[in-house]
């Protein structure tokens, strides 16, 4: 079967009534979560995981639901950026620069309509790229042995700073903490208990889902408790979204460039949607120069970042599915879901789980159309969600987290672990240490150690096997290049040269 045949088969899976309903629910809930400032796609997807387990969804159905939530959050993040000047998540930050001035000028509906079309085009191009390029990457990755996989994990950790956009040192500390947590449990070779402190519940290691819900959802609630909630929000008049759809024709080239840049940024491990959004906006601003009105309500300043961050979201699925390496914080959460279901993403995933992989790709096409249809006529309804009081929303988040985690194993120990990770996440965020590398270390640490030990056992302890193949050397060179590029970019940003 070629790619087209696989895709047709995927649509047969995705068009099943149950999967269509889950995609619709995921898109709607994701847009609502994305519209709420502070939650974002990482927290939104993390909260939905225990619900997926609670409803007993099959892996394909669960993945369709969560990826629909992911795409929905990326769409919804623009709403608070334009209406309130508060980005729903980090990638939507660039949208505030021109979106909010448009809203203040009474063109909020136009900005929302234009951003919806740009998001649709960006996500569609990324999904086409996923369809074409992921199978090609799998053909290369299928030649990998344990040494090449170890090099691949080194690549993931070398680019970890780009996932978080934080300082390299703090990202490194967070990754080491995650790797340390990943060693908890029974040693896979010697069967010796490591860091369990006599608690039998830790013999199987730390549950990924419990850890990430604590790190993201509970820590977010703890931060919410200490914020000043007396801030008054001045609503703006939205108007119709139809002019924005018409305006999208004049912004077609901007949307196309932003989509391509965002897709490339998403495919690169560690680059992510924030970089895609930033690069897309910067390119358009430099391109138009004095002919543009960037920063004061230029429609191209809305179209470029929205196309870029939605394309990056789709591109980040390629390394996650084909190599098992998450390209963003949200794909790290999706990786945790698959590992919890005893499904290992990587080259063999396309061969062993074709229904799930191609059903997911087809569901992305369908969900993208759903999101466009939902976001044009219902944009006023989604904007009203922003008026929901926080004192109502945050207790709901806590309730969902507690019920969801307890339902995983019916274990009170999991609740204590979730609270412990919530406090850990709160402390890390207060210290401005990113939490995503902790999750990556926890997720990838075990596989990294396993492949290192396999490589050592093959050669009887000869370390040279780690750099004995051209693929390994190529990956190390690529990792070093990305690492140096990230450090140089951070230095330029610090000196405000870009």
């Amino acid at each position: 079967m070629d790619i087209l045949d696989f895709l047709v088969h995927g649509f047969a899976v995705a068009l099943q009534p149950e999967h269509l309903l889950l995609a619709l629910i995921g898109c709607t809930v994701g847009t609502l979560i994305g519209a709420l400032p502070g939650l974002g796609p990482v927290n939104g997807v993390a909260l939905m995981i225990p619900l997926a387990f609670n409803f007993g969804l099959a892996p394909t159905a669960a993945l369709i639901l969560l990826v629909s939530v992911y795409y929905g959050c990326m769409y919804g993040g623009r709403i608070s950026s334009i209406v309130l000047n508060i980005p729903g998540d980090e990638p939507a930050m660039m949208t505030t620069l021109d979106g909010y001035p448009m809203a203040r000028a009474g063109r909020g509906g136009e900005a929302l309509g234009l951003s919806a079309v740009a998001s649709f085009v960006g996500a569609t191009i990324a999904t086409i790229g996923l369809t074409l390029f992921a199978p090609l990457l799998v053909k290369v990755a299928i030649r990998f042995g344990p040494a090449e996989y170890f090099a691949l994990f080194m690549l993931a950790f070398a680019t970890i700073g780009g996932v978080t956009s934080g300082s390299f040192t703090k990202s490194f500390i967070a990754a080491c903490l995650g790797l340390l947590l990943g060693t908890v449990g029974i040693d896979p070779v010697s069967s010796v208990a490591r860091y369990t402190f006599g608690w039998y519940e830790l013999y199987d290691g730390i549950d990924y889902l419990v850890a990430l819900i604590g790190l993201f959802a509970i820590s977010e609630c703890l931060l919410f408790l200490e914020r000043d909630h007396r801030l008054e929000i001045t609503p703006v008049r939205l108007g119709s979204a139809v002019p924005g759809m018409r305006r999208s024709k004049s912004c077609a080239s901007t949307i196309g460039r932003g989509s391509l840049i965002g897709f490339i940024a998403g495919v690169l491990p560690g680059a992510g949607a924030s970089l895609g959004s930033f690069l897309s906006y910067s390119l358009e601003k430099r391109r138009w120069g004095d002919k543009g009105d960037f920063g004061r309500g230029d429609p191209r300043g809305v179209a470029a970042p929205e196309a870029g961050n939605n394309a990056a979201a789709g591109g980040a699925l390629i390394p996650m599915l084909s190599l098992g390496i998450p390209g963003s914080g949200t794909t790290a959460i999706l990786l945790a879901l698959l590992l919890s279901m005893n499904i290992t993403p990587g080259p063999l995933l396309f061969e062993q789980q074709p229904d799930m992989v191609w059903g997911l790709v087809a569901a992305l096409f369908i969900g993208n159309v759903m999101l466009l249809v939902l976001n044009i006529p219902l944009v006023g309804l989604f904007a009203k969600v922003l008026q929901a009081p926080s004192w109502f929303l945050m207790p709901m988040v806590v309730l969902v987290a507690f019920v969801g985690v307890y339902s995983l194993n019916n274990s009170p120990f999991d609740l204590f672990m979730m609270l412990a990770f919530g406090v850990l996440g709160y402390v890390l965020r207060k210290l401005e240490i990113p939490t995503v590398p902790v999750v990556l270390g926890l997720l990838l640490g075990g596989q990294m150690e396993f492949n290192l030990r396999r490589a050592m056992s093959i050669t009887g302890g000869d370390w040279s096997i780690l750099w004995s193949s051209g693929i390994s050397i190529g990956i190390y060179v690529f990792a070093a290049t990305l690492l140096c590029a990230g450090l140089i970019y951070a230095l330029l940003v610090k000196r405000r040269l870009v």
Side-chain angles (χ1 to χ4, degrees), residues 79-431:
I79 297 177
S80 57
S81 297
I82 293 171
V83 177
L84 301 180
N85 200 28
I86 303 173
D89 53 9
E90 188 178 319
M93 188 168 56
M94 303 305 292
T95 308
T96 62
L97 300 179
D98 287 277
Y100 188 63
M102 287 182 70
R104 290 288 301 271
R107 299 163 61 196
E110 178 186 345
L112 288 168
L114 174 61
S115 62
V117 174
S119 299
F120 171 78
V121 175
T124 300
I125 289 177
T127 308
I128 292 172
L130 171 65
T131 306
L132 297 176
F133 295 121
L136 298 178
L137 194 56
V138 166
K139 289 181 180 177
V140 176
I142 209 163
R143 302 170 183 267
F144 284 17
E148 287 75 17
Y149 270 111
F150 179 78
L152 206 55
F153 290 123
M154 290 294 289
L155 168 65
F157 284 104
T159 57
I160 210 164
V163 174
T164 60
S165 70
S167 79
F168 175 80
T169 304
K170 291 182 177 179
S171 298
F172 179 75
I173 293 172
C176 290
L177 177 60
L179 288 171
L180 179 65
L181 292 171
T183 61
V184 174
I186 299 292
D187 186 311
V189 177
S190 63
S191 298
V192 174
R194 300 186 300 195
Y195 311 117
T196 57
F197 304 104
W199 290 339
Y200 295 109
E201 292 88 348
L202 290 177
Y203 275 32
D204 289 333
I206 295 174
D207 192 309
Y208 308 134
L209 304 183
V210 174
L212 64 89
I213 291 172
L215 281 171
F216 293 108
I218 299 300
S219 67
E220 184 67 39
C221 294
L222 292 175
L223 286 172
F224 166 79
L225 291 176
E226 68 175 25
R227 289 181 193 143
D228 183 1
H229 304 292
R230 292 171 298 178
L231 180 65
E232 292 186 1
I233 296 172
T234 305
V236 296
R237 189 168 60 86
L238 290 181
S240 174
V242 174
M245 296 184 68
R246 293 175 183 159
R247 170 74 74 174
S248 61
K249 294 181 181 177
S250 62
C251 295
S253 59
T254 296
I255 294 173
R257 284 189 292 271
S259 299
L260 292 176
I261 292 172
F263 175 69
I264 294 170
V267 173
L268 293 175
S274 299
L275 183 62
S277 172
F278 175 78
L279 291 178
S280 302
Y281 184 88
S282 300
L283 176 68
E284 291 304 310
K285 187 176 180 181
R286 287 174 182 270
R287 176 181 174 81
W288 294 103
D290 295 337
K291 295 179 182 178
D293 197 23
F294 288 87
R296 295 185 291 274
D298 193 310
R300 290 166 295 201
V302 173
E306 282 304 308
N309 68 40
N310 281 274
L317 291 172
I318 293 180
M320 195 276 282
L321 289 173
S322 58
L323 300 176
I325 293 181
S328 66
T330 312
T331 50
I333 309 297
L334 295 173
L335 178 64
L337 168 73
L338 292 174
L339 293 175
S340 298
M341 291 182 166
N342 295 321
I343 296 172
T344 304
L348 296 180
L349 182 67
F350 283 73
E351 183 178 322
Q352 296 173 347
Q353 304 278 352
D355 286 359
M356 188 187 74
V357 174
W358 292 103
L360 171 66
V361 173
L364 290 177
F365 282 110
I366 296 171
N368 212 20
V369 175
M370 285 182 179
L371 281 165
L372 182 65
V373 173
L374 283 173
N375 273 266
I376 295 299
L378 299 181
V379 69
L381 177 64
F382 289 131
K384 284 189 179 299
V385 174
L386 299 175
Q387 300 173 11
S390 300
W391 56 260
F392 171 75
L393 293 173
M394 283 302 165
M396 289 296 293
V397 170
V398 175
L399 178 65
V400 170
F402 269 79
V403 172
V405 166
Y406 184 75
S407 63
L408 291 175
N409 302 307
N410 295 329
S411 168
F413 183 82
D414 285 350
L415 296 179
F416 289 116
M417 284 294 292
M418 179 187 70
L419 291 174
F421 272 95
V423 174
L424 174 64
Y426 171 79
V427 172
L428 292 176
R429 293 167 78 168
K430 293 297 289 183
L431 296 174

